[in-house]
Amino acid sequence: MKRSLKGTALIVALVLVAMVAFAGCGAPAAAPSESASAAAPSESASAAAPSEASAAGESAAASGDGVSVALLNASNANLWRAQMEDEMNALVEEYKADGKISNYVAYSANDDATTQSQQLSQIISAGGTDVVIINPVSATSLNPVIDKAIEAGIVVLGVDSVIGHPDVVTLATDQYKWAEMQAEFLAEKLGGKGDIIIYNGIAGVPASDTREKAFDDVIAKYPDINVLKKVYHNWDDGEAKKLTVTMISAYPNIDGILNQDCSPGIMQGFSEAGVDMPKVITSDGSFNYLNMWNDYNTKNPDKAFEAIIVGNPPGAGCDAIKMGIALANGKEFKDDVLTEMDGGKAVLLEPAPVITNENREEWVKKTDEMGDTYTFSKILTDEEIGAYFK
């Protein structure tokens, strides 16, 4: 039985916290109309005016009235980011009831860097916001506006993709390691040779670029692995399907797919073309893909393919809220928890869970009653968050 995304997001995240520990380790909001401000918040967000204390220049954190938080999401038009927002919304409601958060608003930039810059400028001008969490469209294009936000006393955090600003900390799965693990898996399962296609996300988006570099670095160590083509599916299953049909037409032999998510679309492309799956395919943390992979291998044991899922939890958005509140209340990071990278700083989370054919059926049973649109998630506990601070 499938459950609605918005009604179950927090439950799923909490259940998966337990599952990840055991293992060891919605429709998007509508874009602003043309008559509306390009920086208008998404419909699901609270857009209350700043409190009098905030308008007077005193932060909510300092006044004891709770912290005012804003999310700048690159886009909520894909399932991963939509789930991130839903999990954040659920945590915000809990924190509002506890008095930890006074106000919360979420914006979507529709993958446009200029729009995201305008949104941050609007937040600064309006005043009253203590913490801004940014899932960036670009690694550095926001830097001039981030300077102004920091000057205004706003805590700025990145989430998922590293922001290349020296005073911004990004909370993210270690995207290089995420991709490196998958590329090494593919190379091992192919015996170090074969013809592959590389599917990247969106060129220019930090997480996609970091993963692409890891793919390239690993594959460069295997001279007998031939990259037939590099493509970009923009983290869209429909685009991934179309690209796959095109790739199959162009290349009669494809041994492996090295991929940044959207594996369901890739599998649909092979099915539509009437072609068996390649020997190896990597990526995608959705339950839908897990079930498609399991169904294919169960029904076609003589054509079963090797695959790997490496988790990239959307719960990082909730982790960023918790860290932002701590920073707004005067906490400081321990010196040894931050990693200097790409012009910024990061708290890097270990990719988890890791699923292959060895533990695939176990995970299918664990996620049996959860909707196909969910992806594997985990939210750090308050104790885990506290361990990052002095």
Side-chain angles (χ1 to χ4, degrees):
M1 179 180 68
K2 295 182 182 179
R3 301 185 178 96
S4 67
L5 182 59
K6 292 185 180 294
T8 322
L10 184 57
I11 295 173
V12 171
L14 294 175
V15 170
L16 286 172
V17 169
M19 292 198 300
V20 171
F22 174 79
C25 355
S33 64
E34 291 182 359
S35 60
S37 165
S42 64
E43 294 176 355
S44 63
S46 168
S51 66
E52 292 181 6
S54 296
E58 180 185 9
S59 74
S63 67
D65 293 332
V67 175
S68 178
V69 180
L71 167 68
L72 298 184
N73 202 350
S75 170
N76 51 18
N78 70 55
L79 293 173
W80 191 96
R81 287 171 176 157
Q83 183 173 329
M84 181 186 77
E85 281 203 17
D86 283 337
E87 293 183 9
M88 293 174 76
N89 289 339
L91 183 66
V92 164
E93 291 308 308
E94 176 189 331
Y95 277 13
K96 281 184 176 180
D98 292 342
K100 296 178 181 177
I101 287 181
S102 60
N103 186 56
Y104 174 73
V105 62
Y107 297 77
S108 174
N110 298 318
D111 289 318
D112 184 85
T114 299
T115 296
Q116 194 164 60
S117 178
Q118 292 170 349
Q119 289 167 345
L120 182 54
S121 293
Q122 178 177 313
I123 288 170
I124 297 167
S125 297
T129 298
D130 302 298
V131 178
V132 175
I133 297 166
I134 305 174
N135 175 233
V137 176
S138 164
T140 57
S141 65
L142 285 177
N143 283 2
V145 191
I146 288 174
D147 287 338
K148 295 178 182 178
I150 292 172
E151 288 172 8
I154 298 172
V155 173
V156 180
L157 288 169
V159 66
D160 188 45
S161 292
V162 174
I163 295 174
H165 188 290
D167 297 319
V168 174
V169 173
T170 298
L171 180 65
T173 297
D174 188 336
Q175 302 292 352
Y176 188 94
K177 186 172 183 179
W178 180 95
E180 182 182 47
M181 291 167 67
Q182 299 191 51
E184 290 287 4
F185 175 88
L186 176 136
E188 176 190 344
K189 294 301 181 182
L190 288 180
K193 60 184 179 181
D195 297 326
I196 71 169
I197 307 287
I198 296 179
Y199 288 68
N200 292 307
I202 302 175
V205 172
S208 179
D209 288 351
T210 298
R211 293 172 175 183
E212 182 175 352
K213 184 178 188 307
F215 285 168
D216 292 346
D217 288 349
V218 171
I219 297 304
K221 298 189 298 183
Y222 297 92
D224 292 329
I225 292 180
N226 176 36
V227 179
L228 298 169
K229 187 78 172 179
K230 261 194 196 184
V231 295
Y232 297 84
H233 52 40
N234 300 318
W235 287 316
D236 181 275
D237 276 311
E239 182 65 20
K241 176 183 172 181
K242 292 177 184 176
L243 284 169
T244 300
V245 172
T246 301
M247 293 300 101
I248 291 170
S249 298
Y251 304 104
N253 180 68
I254 301 173
D255 295 307
I257 301 287
L258 188 52
N259 172 41
Q260 292 190 34
D261 302 319
C262 297
S263 297
I266 292 171
M267 287 193 70
Q268 289 165 2
F270 276 93
S271 177
E272 186 173 290
V275 176
D276 295 336
M277 289 294 296
K279 298 173 185 176
V280 187
I281 184 170
T282 74
S283 183
D284 204 290
S286 71
F287 299 168
N288 182 33
Y289 172 57
L290 174 64
N291 290 324
M292 289 176 68
W293 163 25
N294 185 64
D295 288 345
Y296 183 95
N297 280 9
T298 301
K299 294 174 182 177
N300 304 279
D302 57 327
K303 301 176 183 177
F305 63 95
E306 296 288 348
I308 186 171
I309 286 174
V310 181
N312 177 37
C318 292
D319 299 336
I321 288 177
K322 293 183 177 187
M323 287 189 175
I325 291 173
L327 292 167
N329 284 297
K331 295 285 189 180
E332 296 181 2
F333 283 111
K334 293 177 179 176
D335 295 336
D336 60 348
V337 304
L338 300 179
T339 299
E340 300 275 350
M341 62 182 305
D342 300 330
K345 300 180 180 69
V347 174
L348 296 178
L349 305 175
E350 191 73 11
V354 178
I355 304 172
T356 64
N357 277 326
E358 282 66 36
N359 60 350
R360 168 177 47 91
E361 293 181 358
E362 173 188 342
W363 278 95
V364 169
K365 291 176 182 178
K366 287 179 180 179
T367 60
D368 182 53
E369 293 189 3
M370 298 175 186
D372 282 349
T373 58
Y374 293 108
T375 192
F376 293 93
S377 195
K378 182 183 188 297
I379 298 172
L380 296 178
T381 65
D382 291 345
E383 291 74 19
E384 288 171 324
I385 292 291
Y388 288 103
F389 294 96
K390 297 177 181 178

PDB file of all heavy atoms in Angstrom, residues 59-69 95 99-102 130-131 153-155 321-332 389-390:
ATOM      1  N   SER A  59      17.671  39.416  16.726  1.00  0.00           N
ATOM      2  CA  SER A  59      17.311  38.119  16.183  1.00  0.00           C
ATOM      3  C   SER A  59      16.357  37.394  17.099  1.00  0.00           C
ATOM      4  O   SER A  59      16.325  37.614  18.307  1.00  0.00           O
ATOM      5  CB  SER A  59      18.564  37.262  15.977  1.00  0.00           C
ATOM      6  OG  SER A  59      19.044  36.799  17.209  1.00  0.00           O
ATOM      7  N   ALA A  60      15.547  36.520  16.500  1.00  0.00           N
ATOM      8  CA  ALA A  60      14.621  35.723  17.288  1.00  0.00           C
ATOM      9  C   ALA A  60      15.373  34.845  18.260  1.00  0.00           C
ATOM     10  O   ALA A  60      14.925  34.585  19.377  1.00  0.00           O
ATOM     11  CB  ALA A  60      13.743  34.877  16.367  1.00  0.00           C
ATOM     12  N   ALA A  61      16.542  34.341  17.830  1.00  0.00           N
ATOM     13  CA  ALA A  61      17.329  33.476  18.711  1.00  0.00           C
ATOM     14  C   ALA A  61      17.749  34.235  19.968  1.00  0.00           C
ATOM     15  O   ALA A  61      17.668  33.727  21.080  1.00  0.00           O
ATOM     16  CB  ALA A  61      18.566  32.964  17.970  1.00  0.00           C
ATOM     17  N   ALA A  62      18.185  35.493  19.789  1.00  0.00           N
ATOM     18  CA  ALA A  62      18.636  36.282  20.924  1.00  0.00           C
ATOM     19  C   ALA A  62      17.481  36.642  21.848  1.00  0.00           C
ATOM     20  O   ALA A  62      17.640  36.754  23.057  1.00  0.00           O
ATOM     21  CB  ALA A  62      19.346  37.541  20.428  1.00  0.00           C
ATOM     22  N   SER A  63      16.305  36.861  21.295  1.00  0.00           N
ATOM     23  CA  SER A  63      15.160  37.282  22.099  1.00  0.00           C
ATOM     24  C   SER A  63      14.477  36.118  22.795  1.00  0.00           C
ATOM     25  O   SER A  63      13.594  36.307  23.614  1.00  0.00           O
ATOM     26  CB  SER A  63      14.135  38.002  21.214  1.00  0.00           C
ATOM     27  OG  SER A  63      13.562  37.092  20.287  1.00  0.00           O
ATOM     28  N   GLY A  64      14.886  34.884  22.448  1.00  0.00           N
ATOM     29  CA  GLY A  64      14.283  33.717  23.074  1.00  0.00           C
ATOM     30  C   GLY A  64      12.959  33.317  22.465  1.00  0.00           C
ATOM     31  O   GLY A  64      12.234  32.498  23.039  1.00  0.00           O
ATOM     32  N   ASP A  65      12.615  33.871  21.312  1.00  0.00           N
ATOM     33  CA  ASP A  65      11.330  33.588  20.680  1.00  0.00           C
ATOM     34  C   ASP A  65      11.420  32.511  19.606  1.00  0.00           C
ATOM     35  O   ASP A  65      10.478  32.305  18.857  1.00  0.00           O
ATOM     36  CB  ASP A  65      10.761  34.867  20.042  1.00  0.00           C
ATOM     37  CG  ASP A  65      10.391  35.903  21.091  1.00  0.00           C
ATOM     38  OD1 ASP A  65      10.075  35.494  22.219  1.00  0.00           O
ATOM     39  OD2 ASP A  65      10.441  37.105  20.777  1.00  0.00           O
ATOM     40  N   GLY A  66      12.536  31.822  19.508  1.00  0.00           N
ATOM     41  CA  GLY A  66      12.708  30.843  18.455  1.00  0.00           C
ATOM     42  C   GLY A  66      13.432  31.444  17.275  1.00  0.00           C
ATOM     43  O   GLY A  66      13.521  32.665  17.114  1.00  0.00           O
ATOM     44  N   VAL A  67      13.944  30.597  16.410  1.00  0.00           N
ATOM     45  CA  VAL A  67      14.764  31.020  15.276  1.00  0.00           C
ATOM     46  C   VAL A  67      13.913  31.098  14.016  1.00  0.00           C
ATOM     47  O   VAL A  67      13.061  30.249  13.767  1.00  0.00           O
ATOM     48  CB  VAL A  67      15.925  30.017  15.080  1.00  0.00           C
ATOM     49  CG1 VAL A  67      16.728  30.340  13.836  1.00  0.00           C
ATOM     50  CG2 VAL A  67      16.830  30.009  16.308  1.00  0.00           C
ATOM     51  N   SER A  68      14.155  32.118  13.209  1.00  0.00           N
ATOM     52  CA  SER A  68      13.481  32.269  11.925  1.00  0.00           C
ATOM     53  C   SER A  68      14.377  31.688  10.832  1.00  0.00           C
ATOM     54  O   SER A  68      15.529  32.083  10.702  1.00  0.00           O
ATOM     55  CB  SER A  68      13.199  33.745  11.636  1.00  0.00           C
ATOM     56  OG  SER A  68      12.583  33.900  10.373  1.00  0.00           O
ATOM     57  N   VAL A  69      13.833  30.747  10.063  1.00  0.00           N
ATOM     58  CA  VAL A  69      14.626  29.974   9.101  1.00  0.00           C
ATOM     59  C   VAL A  69      14.046  30.112   7.705  1.00  0.00           C
ATOM     60  O   VAL A  69      12.815  30.125   7.528  1.00  0.00           O
ATOM     61  CB  VAL A  69      14.662  28.476   9.491  1.00  0.00           C
ATOM     62  CG1 VAL A  69      15.488  27.670   8.502  1.00  0.00           C
ATOM     63  CG2 VAL A  69      15.194  28.296  10.915  1.00  0.00           C
ATOM     64  N   TYR A  95       9.217  21.700  15.582  1.00  0.00           N
ATOM     65  CA  TYR A  95      10.028  22.715  16.254  1.00  0.00           C
ATOM     66  C   TYR A  95       9.233  23.987  16.552  1.00  0.00           C
ATOM     67  O   TYR A  95       9.536  24.684  17.523  1.00  0.00           O
ATOM     68  CB  TYR A  95      11.255  23.033  15.405  1.00  0.00           C
ATOM     69  CG  TYR A  95      12.402  22.064  15.586  1.00  0.00           C
ATOM     70  CD1 TYR A  95      12.214  20.848  16.260  1.00  0.00           C
ATOM     71  CD2 TYR A  95      13.671  22.337  15.110  1.00  0.00           C
ATOM     72  CE1 TYR A  95      13.253  19.951  16.434  1.00  0.00           C
ATOM     73  CE2 TYR A  95      14.731  21.450  15.285  1.00  0.00           C
ATOM     74  CZ  TYR A  95      14.511  20.260  15.943  1.00  0.00           C
ATOM     75  OH  TYR A  95      15.557  19.380  16.133  1.00  0.00           O
ATOM     76  N   GLY A  99       8.751  25.684  20.218  1.00  0.00           N
ATOM     77  CA  GLY A  99       9.298  27.023  20.375  1.00  0.00           C
ATOM     78  C   GLY A  99      10.704  27.194  19.854  1.00  0.00           C
ATOM     79  O   GLY A  99      11.319  28.246  20.060  1.00  0.00           O
ATOM     80  N   LYS A 100      11.227  26.208  19.154  1.00  0.00           N
ATOM     81  CA  LYS A 100      12.585  26.310  18.619  1.00  0.00           C
ATOM     82  C   LYS A 100      12.631  27.142  17.339  1.00  0.00           C
ATOM     83  O   LYS A 100      13.657  27.740  17.011  1.00  0.00           O
ATOM     84  CB  LYS A 100      13.158  24.920  18.344  1.00  0.00           C
ATOM     85  CG  LYS A 100      13.342  24.063  19.583  1.00  0.00           C
ATOM     86  CD  LYS A 100      13.871  22.678  19.213  1.00  0.00           C
ATOM     87  CE  LYS A 100      14.035  21.791  20.430  1.00  0.00           C
ATOM     88  NZ  LYS A 100      14.494  20.423  20.058  1.00  0.00           N
ATOM     89  N   ILE A 101      11.534  27.125  16.565  1.00  0.00           N
ATOM     90  CA  ILE A 101      11.438  27.896  15.327  1.00  0.00           C
ATOM     91  C   ILE A 101      10.229  28.816  15.420  1.00  0.00           C
ATOM     92  O   ILE A 101       9.126  28.380  15.790  1.00  0.00           O
ATOM     93  CB  ILE A 101      11.323  26.968  14.103  1.00  0.00           C
ATOM     94  CG1 ILE A 101      12.676  26.304  13.817  1.00  0.00           C
ATOM     95  CG2 ILE A 101      10.847  27.726  12.874  1.00  0.00           C
ATOM     96  CD1 ILE A 101      12.673  25.384  12.612  1.00  0.00           C
ATOM     97  N   SER A 102      10.437  30.080  15.083  1.00  0.00           N
ATOM     98  CA  SER A 102       9.339  31.051  15.108  1.00  0.00           C
ATOM     99  C   SER A 102       8.684  31.190  13.736  1.00  0.00           C
ATOM    100  O   SER A 102       7.473  31.432  13.637  1.00  0.00           O
ATOM    101  CB  SER A 102       9.857  32.417  15.559  1.00  0.00           C
ATOM    102  OG  SER A 102      10.859  32.892  14.657  1.00  0.00           O
ATOM    103  N   ASP A 130      17.032  34.582  10.724  1.00  0.00           N
ATOM    104  CA  ASP A 130      18.248  34.231  11.452  1.00  0.00           C
ATOM    105  C   ASP A 130      19.127  33.244  10.699  1.00  0.00           C
ATOM    106  O   ASP A 130      20.350  33.305  10.774  1.00  0.00           O
ATOM    107  CB  ASP A 130      17.880  33.606  12.806  1.00  0.00           C
ATOM    108  CG  ASP A 130      17.034  34.524  13.658  1.00  0.00           C
ATOM    109  OD1 ASP A 130      17.526  35.610  14.004  1.00  0.00           O
ATOM    110  OD2 ASP A 130      15.880  34.173  13.965  1.00  0.00           O
ATOM    111  N   VAL A 131      18.506  32.287   9.992  1.00  0.00           N
ATOM    112  CA  VAL A 131      19.228  31.208   9.328  1.00  0.00           C
ATOM    113  C   VAL A 131      18.715  31.038   7.907  1.00  0.00           C
ATOM    114  O   VAL A 131      17.494  30.964   7.696  1.00  0.00           O
ATOM    115  CB  VAL A 131      19.065  29.870  10.083  1.00  0.00           C
ATOM    116  CG1 VAL A 131      19.786  28.740   9.344  1.00  0.00           C
ATOM    117  CG2 VAL A 131      19.571  29.981  11.516  1.00  0.00           C
ATOM    118  N   GLY A 153      24.268  39.526   9.740  1.00  0.00           N
ATOM    119  CA  GLY A 153      24.155  38.664  10.902  1.00  0.00           C
ATOM    120  C   GLY A 153      23.381  37.385  10.674  1.00  0.00           C
ATOM    121  O   GLY A 153      22.995  36.705  11.626  1.00  0.00           O
ATOM    122  N   ILE A 154      23.159  37.035   9.419  1.00  0.00           N
ATOM    123  CA  ILE A 154      22.423  35.818   9.094  1.00  0.00           C
ATOM    124  C   ILE A 154      23.380  34.633   9.032  1.00  0.00           C
ATOM    125  O   ILE A 154      24.465  34.735   8.443  1.00  0.00           O
ATOM    126  CB  ILE A 154      21.687  35.970   7.742  1.00  0.00           C
ATOM    127  CG1 ILE A 154      20.653  37.093   7.817  1.00  0.00           C
ATOM    128  CG2 ILE A 154      21.026  34.660   7.324  1.00  0.00           C
ATOM    129  CD1 ILE A 154      20.023  37.438   6.467  1.00  0.00           C
ATOM    130  N   VAL A 155      22.996  33.528   9.640  1.00  0.00           N
ATOM    131  CA  VAL A 155      23.756  32.285   9.520  1.00  0.00           C
ATOM    132  C   VAL A 155      23.402  31.658   8.177  1.00  0.00           C
ATOM    133  O   VAL A 155      22.236  31.403   7.884  1.00  0.00           O
ATOM    134  CB  VAL A 155      23.402  31.303  10.659  1.00  0.00           C
ATOM    135  CG1 VAL A 155      24.077  29.952  10.419  1.00  0.00           C
ATOM    136  CG2 VAL A 155      23.810  31.877  12.008  1.00  0.00           C
ATOM    137  N   ILE A 321      18.801  22.260   9.380  1.00  0.00           N
ATOM    138  CA  ILE A 321      17.968  23.046  10.296  1.00  0.00           C
ATOM    139  C   ILE A 321      18.516  22.946  11.714  1.00  0.00           C
ATOM    140  O   ILE A 321      18.670  23.958  12.425  1.00  0.00           O
ATOM    141  CB  ILE A 321      16.504  22.563  10.258  1.00  0.00           C
ATOM    142  CG1 ILE A 321      15.828  22.973   8.949  1.00  0.00           C
ATOM    143  CG2 ILE A 321      15.713  23.138  11.446  1.00  0.00           C
ATOM    144  CD1 ILE A 321      14.407  22.467   8.804  1.00  0.00           C
ATOM    145  N   LYS A 322      18.823  21.744  12.147  1.00  0.00           N
ATOM    146  CA  LYS A 322      19.324  21.546  13.512  1.00  0.00           C
ATOM    147  C   LYS A 322      20.647  22.279  13.721  1.00  0.00           C
ATOM    148  O   LYS A 322      20.869  22.928  14.758  1.00  0.00           O
ATOM    149  CB  LYS A 322      19.484  20.053  13.794  1.00  0.00           C
ATOM    150  CG  LYS A 322      18.168  19.283  13.835  1.00  0.00           C
ATOM    151  CD  LYS A 322      18.391  17.817  14.194  1.00  0.00           C
ATOM    152  CE  LYS A 322      17.084  17.061  14.306  1.00  0.00           C
ATOM    153  NZ  LYS A 322      17.254  15.683  14.820  1.00  0.00           N
ATOM    154  N   MET A 323      21.542  22.181  12.722  1.00  0.00           N
ATOM    155  CA  MET A 323      22.835  22.860  12.844  1.00  0.00           C
ATOM    156  C   MET A 323      22.659  24.379  12.800  1.00  0.00           C
ATOM    157  O   MET A 323      23.334  25.112  13.527  1.00  0.00           O
ATOM    158  CB  MET A 323      23.775  22.407  11.738  1.00  0.00           C
ATOM    159  CG  MET A 323      24.305  20.998  11.942  1.00  0.00           C
ATOM    160  SD  MET A 323      25.621  20.593  10.760  1.00  0.00           S
ATOM    161  CE  MET A 323      26.112  18.968  11.387  1.00  0.00           C
ATOM    162  N   GLY A 324      21.748  24.846  11.953  1.00  0.00           N
ATOM    163  CA  GLY A 324      21.508  26.283  11.852  1.00  0.00           C
ATOM    164  C   GLY A 324      20.998  26.871  13.157  1.00  0.00           C
ATOM    165  O   GLY A 324      21.417  27.965  13.569  1.00  0.00           O
ATOM    166  N   ILE A 325      20.100  26.160  13.825  1.00  0.00           N
ATOM    167  CA  ILE A 325      19.586  26.623  15.119  1.00  0.00           C
ATOM    168  C   ILE A 325      20.708  26.682  16.142  1.00  0.00           C
ATOM    169  O   ILE A 325      20.826  27.645  16.915  1.00  0.00           O
ATOM    170  CB  ILE A 325      18.444  25.707  15.596  1.00  0.00           C
ATOM    171  CG1 ILE A 325      17.212  25.888  14.697  1.00  0.00           C
ATOM    172  CG2 ILE A 325      18.078  26.000  17.047  1.00  0.00           C
ATOM    173  CD1 ILE A 325      16.088  24.911  14.985  1.00  0.00           C
ATOM    174  N   ALA A 326      21.561  25.652  16.146  1.00  0.00           N
ATOM    175  CA  ALA A 326      22.688  25.642  17.086  1.00  0.00           C
ATOM    176  C   ALA A 326      23.611  26.839  16.845  1.00  0.00           C
ATOM    177  O   ALA A 326      24.017  27.533  17.789  1.00  0.00           O
ATOM    178  CB  ALA A 326      23.466  24.332  16.953  1.00  0.00           C
ATOM    179  N   LEU A 327      23.928  27.128  15.588  1.00  0.00           N
ATOM    180  CA  LEU A 327      24.803  28.243  15.261  1.00  0.00           C
ATOM    181  C   LEU A 327      24.154  29.583  15.604  1.00  0.00           C
ATOM    182  O   LEU A 327      24.824  30.495  16.112  1.00  0.00           O
ATOM    183  CB  LEU A 327      25.180  28.199  13.777  1.00  0.00           C
ATOM    184  CG  LEU A 327      26.090  27.039  13.357  1.00  0.00           C
ATOM    185  CD1 LEU A 327      26.133  26.919  11.837  1.00  0.00           C
ATOM    186  CD2 LEU A 327      27.501  27.228  13.913  1.00  0.00           C
ATOM    187  N   ALA A 328      22.848  29.707  15.350  1.00  0.00           N
ATOM    188  CA  ALA A 328      22.139  30.947  15.670  1.00  0.00           C
ATOM    189  C   ALA A 328      22.106  31.203  17.174  1.00  0.00           C
ATOM    190  O   ALA A 328      21.980  32.352  17.612  1.00  0.00           O
ATOM    191  CB  ALA A 328      20.710  30.883  15.122  1.00  0.00           C
ATOM    192  N   ASN A 329      22.220  30.140  17.945  1.00  0.00           N
ATOM    193  CA  ASN A 329      22.235  30.267  19.400  1.00  0.00           C
ATOM    194  C   ASN A 329      23.644  30.282  19.978  1.00  0.00           C
ATOM    195  O   ASN A 329      23.831  30.059  21.178  1.00  0.00           O
ATOM    196  CB  ASN A 329      21.416  29.141  20.026  1.00  0.00           C
ATOM    197  CG  ASN A 329      19.922  29.383  19.897  1.00  0.00           C
ATOM    198  OD1 ASN A 329      19.387  30.349  20.437  1.00  0.00           O
ATOM    199  ND2 ASN A 329      19.233  28.518  19.162  1.00  0.00           N
ATOM    200  N   GLY A 330      24.640  30.545  19.123  1.00  0.00           N
ATOM    201  CA  GLY A 330      25.982  30.801  19.606  1.00  0.00           C
ATOM    202  C   GLY A 330      26.931  29.621  19.639  1.00  0.00           C
ATOM    203  O   GLY A 330      28.087  29.765  20.063  1.00  0.00           O
ATOM    204  N   LYS A 331      26.495  28.455  19.194  1.00  0.00           N
ATOM    205  CA  LYS A 331      27.377  27.293  19.177  1.00  0.00           C
ATOM    206  C   LYS A 331      28.444  27.462  18.091  1.00  0.00           C
ATOM    207  O   LYS A 331      28.224  28.141  17.083  1.00  0.00           O
ATOM    208  CB  LYS A 331      26.581  26.011  18.918  1.00  0.00           C
ATOM    209  CG  LYS A 331      25.595  25.653  20.017  1.00  0.00           C
ATOM    210  CD  LYS A 331      26.297  25.081  21.238  1.00  0.00           C
ATOM    211  CE  LYS A 331      25.310  24.530  22.243  1.00  0.00           C
ATOM    212  NZ  LYS A 331      25.989  23.976  23.438  1.00  0.00           N
ATOM    213  N   GLU A 332      29.589  26.789  18.281  1.00  0.00           N
ATOM    214  CA  GLU A 332      30.667  26.814  17.304  1.00  0.00           C
ATOM    215  C   GLU A 332      31.070  25.386  16.948  1.00  0.00           C
ATOM    216  O   GLU A 332      31.099  24.507  17.810  1.00  0.00           O
ATOM    217  CB  GLU A 332      31.891  27.556  17.861  1.00  0.00           C
ATOM    218  CG  GLU A 332      31.648  29.025  18.138  1.00  0.00           C
ATOM    219  CD  GLU A 332      32.883  29.712  18.658  1.00  0.00           C
ATOM    220  OE1 GLU A 332      33.949  29.043  18.776  1.00  0.00           O
ATOM    221  OE2 GLU A 332      32.824  30.914  18.955  1.00  0.00           O
ATOM    222  N   PHE A 389      29.721  20.072  17.653  1.00  0.00           N
ATOM    223  CA  PHE A 389      29.942  21.402  18.247  1.00  0.00           C
ATOM    224  C   PHE A 389      30.794  21.347  19.517  1.00  0.00           C
ATOM    225  O   PHE A 389      30.830  20.327  20.213  1.00  0.00           O
ATOM    226  CB  PHE A 389      28.593  22.062  18.551  1.00  0.00           C
ATOM    227  CG  PHE A 389      27.802  22.390  17.324  1.00  0.00           C
ATOM    228  CD1 PHE A 389      26.835  21.520  16.857  1.00  0.00           C
ATOM    229  CD2 PHE A 389      28.045  23.558  16.613  1.00  0.00           C
ATOM    230  CE1 PHE A 389      26.106  21.803  15.697  1.00  0.00           C
ATOM    231  CE2 PHE A 389      27.330  23.864  15.470  1.00  0.00           C
ATOM    232  CZ  PHE A 389      26.370  22.982  15.006  1.00  0.00           C
ATOM    233  N   LYS A 390      31.453  22.454  19.800  1.00  0.00           N
ATOM    234  CA  LYS A 390      32.277  22.576  21.000  1.00  0.00           C
ATOM    235  C   LYS A 390      31.404  22.572  22.244  1.00  0.00           C
ATOM    236  O   LYS A 390      30.266  23.020  22.212  1.00  0.00           O
ATOM    237  CB  LYS A 390      33.095  23.878  20.949  1.00  0.00           C
ATOM    238  CG  LYS A 390      34.087  23.936  19.788  1.00  0.00           C
ATOM    239  CD  LYS A 390      34.807  25.267  19.750  1.00  0.00           C
ATOM    240  CE  LYS A 390      35.772  25.331  18.569  1.00  0.00           C
ATOM    241  NZ  LYS A 390      36.459  26.642  18.459  1.00  0.00           N
TER     242      LYS A 390
END
